[in-house]
Amino acid sequence: MLTFKVKVSRKIFVSQDTGFGVFKVTLDGSREGRVIVGNLFPLSEGDFLRIEGEESEHPRFGKQIKVSRYEFILPQDGEGIANYLSSGRFKGIGKKTAQKIVDQFGQGTFEVLENTPERLQEVPGLKKTVIETIRQSMRDSRVQRDLTVRLTPYGIGQETIFRIYREFGDLALALIESNPYMLIERVRGVGFKIADTIARAMGIDKLDGQRIRAGIFFVLEQSEFQRGDLFITRDELLKKCSWLLDIADSDVFAVLEKLLERSELSSAETPDVCILRPQNERIEKYAARRLFQLAQGLFAVPELAVNFDAVFEKLALELTAEQKQAALTAVQNRLTIITGGPGTGKTTIIRAIIEILKANGKSILIAAPTGRAAKRIEESSLYQASTIHRLLKINPETGQFVHNAQNPLKTDAIIVDEFSMVDSFILFALLQALADNTQLIVIGDKDQLPSVGPGNVLRDMIQSGYFNTIYLNRNFRQTQDSLIVENAFRVNSGEPLLFPAPNPELDFVFLPVQGEAQVLERVEGILRYYQNDYAFNSSALQVLVPMYRGQAGIDQINQMVQEKFNPEPFLLKKEKSAFKRLDKVMQTRNDYDKQVFNGDLGIVEDYNSRDKLLLVNYDGWIVEYAADELDELTLSYAVSVHKSQGSEYDVVVLSLLPAHARMLSRELFYTAITRARKKLILLSDENTVARACANSQPVLRKTLLPMRLKEVFEPAPVV
């Protein structure tokens, strides 16, 4: 790091969204001009600064200083003060007004502006409106400067400081001095670790109740959103919080007891004492009650006329006895679960169910958890489908679903495909929106990975044994020519895979690789081989990798594909995010305002330079992203197996390496294979494949749904 004293001579660019700026400066004691870049939102022309940074050479813009930390140096002479005041930083102060103020107060000008701005009334000809504007500008400038001075020494970046100021304005410093942990809920990008760093900088004691409370909620959220658990045992919570906060278990326990007393947290016995958020308790209790009502047939299903011959004739399909039974069970019950792997005829059954219900004059809605899954079921069933989120509709003003218990969906039947992806929150919302006379038919593969969100809904429901469940078995007649299906079943049963010699006619190709460097070469070669059939950003060809990091991880493959195959210039760069027009991207979190959801795939359309917005096309739905929202997007030429759930692709390139050892499991391998519709190209080695097949680790998530279901289906006798 080098230290410089500089004077800002010209503003080249500043983002009002992120605070990133580019300024021309002159070095102190010389006329040498330099360019500084970084998150420099409070700067104006005429500012004097002491900066720390690194010199670098930009390939397009030449020498720059990347600023990591800076502080203001206020000018001391009359001319410097006048120039500073008229630099544009303070609204209402031009050169003449600035000179009047300096003439009145001299070198005491900043003292007056900071501490006794009411004395500006002493300046001849200064209007009250201008005085008030100056006072507000001075307050804004002081708060921004004070935040920068207080927080940057502790590694808090300028972008985070900018977001804090934008959220709280004048009150920012006072609020974070009193309770910096409120930033976690109010400022995006601020998690427990940043808030705790600020707290320690503010001198907040490590035994402070607000700190311990924030630590408890952080551990709960980590458990929920990283592992998919809806509760954590009290002993585990105390242990993790004690380690995180570097305090005794007893100190954590004291605060936990208060949170339970105030109903900020809930507890249950399983028989271990479990701690969970109250909303998680409500969700699983409600889901159990509603599922009980459906399963018990408390609202009878009108008898349907089932004419299978007519259905077969219309669909030009021949169903097996097993498939007929599945369709019959589905149309005759309020709640039915149909589960099976690839090639077992789930799509055929969906089409049969739709035709039977239509023939009986019933209205139908079809949904899936993701846009890709909804599009796939729509293409295969020839019936309109949507995501569950769009089915339930979001009220942009409240952020709540439009369809709920007070306004249920008006339909006779709802079919939900890819139900293994449904998490506890979506199950709750769906069941709320279900009218008393609506049938629910859920279809999914119980052997796939569970939902990205918390919960283990499909497995919990099936393993409870309380619901009509149809298990579809392997159908050799339909799948005898598919090596994808054959090997998927072999993975699922732990049998050795079939590895015939590479043949363009086969739908499963094994290409041995030695090391991560060779994977990058192989991926590039495969994309070039298919480039006449599939564009580099095609949604029909997908690279799947278990992990983000590493020489051949998701991040590196994405960068390689962008660099080698997308010739467009960069539209927007921000820290680790860099996007070009035509890039294939993925939404990484649910955004109800934009109506795009975790896992949705889109193509970068353009960049609106006037409004500084990146435009992304999601199958015709254009979504705008401001610069500080780019962390919601990631390149998606390669994605994780988890993120691919619910999607199918013509061609899947799957990389499994020894470096992925901690992620490898039979369930992950099975899920990845079953994403391929026409061709799966496996980049691996036989030892790694054998290890993945042998390592069966069904994801055991901590949920209370099984217990809640037992409570309503088998209530304890009243004594």
Side-chain angles (χ1 to χ4, degrees), residues 204-254:
I204 292 177
D205 190 86
K206 69 178 183 179
L207 291 175
D208 186 276
Q210 292 171 335
R211 178 174 187 260
I212 298 174
R213 178 188 182 277
I216 289 171
F217 277 94
F218 174 72
V219 170
L220 281 168
E221 287 167 6
Q222 289 284 99
S223 177
E224 187 171 314
F225 295 108
Q226 289 192 1
R227 298 210 308 265
D229 296 338
L230 288 174
F231 70 83
I232 185 170
T233 65
R234 184 177 62 191
D235 289 346
E236 184 182 1
L237 177 63
L238 293 175
K239 181 181 178 181
K240 288 188 172 183
C241 286
S242 174
W243 180 86
L244 173 73
L245 301 170
D246 190 28
I247 59 177
D249 289 13
S250 56
D251 294 316
V252 180
F253 183 80

Side-chain angles (χ1 to χ4, degrees), residues 281-564:
E281 182 179 44
R282 289 194 298 272
I283 282 171
E284 295 197 309
K285 281 186 173 181
Y286 175 85
R289 289 196 305 272
R290 195 73 175 120
L291 289 170
F292 172 76
Q293 292 175 342
L294 294 172
Q296 293 298 101
L298 300 185
F299 308 98
V301 176
E303 189 170 337
L304 299 180
V306 181
N307 187 338
F308 278 115
D309 291 335
V311 172
F312 299 159
E313 185 177 348
K314 184 166 186 176
L315 298 180
L317 293 173
E318 183 178 342
L319 274 71
T320 64
E322 180 185 65
Q323 291 169 332
K324 288 180 185 178
Q325 186 58 45
L328 186 63
T329 301
V331 298
Q332 291 180 337
N333 289 278
R334 286 290 313 286
L335 172 60
T336 304
I337 300 170
I338 300 173
T339 183
T344 54
K346 296 192 295 294
T347 300
T348 301
I349 292 167
I350 291 173
R351 293 182 65 190
I353 291 168
I354 291 170
E355 291 303 323
I356 292 168
L357 291 172
K358 282 170 60 179
N360 284 272
K362 300 298 181 182
S363 56
I364 311 155
L365 291 173
I366 301 183
T370 67
R372 295 289 302 162
K375 187 175 181 180
R376 183 169 55 79
I377 190 176
E378 185 170 285
E379 291 169 349
S380 60
S381 68
L382 306 178
Y383 198 88
Q384 183 178 358
S386 74
T387 64
I388 298 173
H389 288 91
R390 290 202 172 99
L391 185 72
L392 301 179
K393 295 180 183 175
I394 289 286
N395 182 332
E397 294 181 1
T398 64
Q400 303 296 313
F401 287 116
V402 171
H403 291 292
N404 50 35
Q406 289 71 45
N407 181 31
L409 292 161
K410 294 178 174 59
T411 185
D412 294 312
I414 296 176
I415 300 172
V416 184
D417 195 16
E418 294 289 353
F419 206 76
S420 63
M421 296 180 65
V422 171
D423 63 36
S424 293
F425 301 146
I426 294 301
L427 175 69
F428 173 73
L430 182 65
L431 292 175
Q432 277 197 312
L434 208 66
D436 288 342
N437 61 346
T438 298
Q439 292 175 260
L440 178 62
I441 301 162
V442 303
I443 299 168
D445 187 342
K446 66 179 178 59
D447 295 314
Q448 284 188 29
L449 292 167
S451 57
V452 174
N456 209 359
V457 171
L458 182 61
R459 286 195 183 193
D460 283 349
M461 289 175 63
I462 291 174
Q463 290 174 1
S464 73
Y466 295 127
F467 306 103
N468 290 310
T469 302
I470 303 295
Y471 297 88
L472 300 176
N473 297 307
R474 186 174 182 179
N475 186 335
F476 284 96
R477 181 185 55 77
Q478 288 185 322
T479 63
Q480 61 185 353
D481 296 328
S482 173
L483 201 55
I484 289 175
V485 174
E486 172 70 30
N487 276 336
F489 276 97
R490 284 174 173 267
V491 168
N492 211 18
S493 59
E495 299 175 39
L497 270 62
L498 298 179
F499 290 138
N503 182 336
E505 301 300 317
L506 295 176
D507 64 359
F508 189 107
V509 176
F510 174 59
L511 296 180
V513 291
Q514 300 295 325
E516 295 181 271
Q518 193 177 7
V519 169
L520 283 175
E521 294 174 7
R522 289 281 198 186
V523 170
E524 181 181 352
I526 291 165
L527 293 181
R528 294 201 186 282
Y529 177 83
Y530 281 105
Q531 61 188 0
N532 291 331
D533 300 311
Y534 300 98
F536 71 93
N537 60 3
S538 171
S539 61
L541 187 153
Q542 188 62 56
V543 181
L544 300 183
V545 186
M547 295 176 68
Y548 283 86
R549 297 178 182 175
Q551 190 179 350
I554 292 168
D555 294 335
Q556 284 296 109
I557 291 177
N558 277 326
Q559 288 181 25
M560 181 275 290
V561 177
Q562 185 188 57
E563 178 186 341
K564 302 276 189 182

Side-chain angles (χ1 to χ4, degrees), residues 285 288-289 291-292 707-715:
K285 281 186 173 181
R289 289 196 305 272
L291 289 170
F292 172 76
M707 184 177 84
R708 300 306 183 198
L709 287 170
K710 187 172 184 178
E711 288 172 353
V712 293
F713 278 91
E714 303 175 38

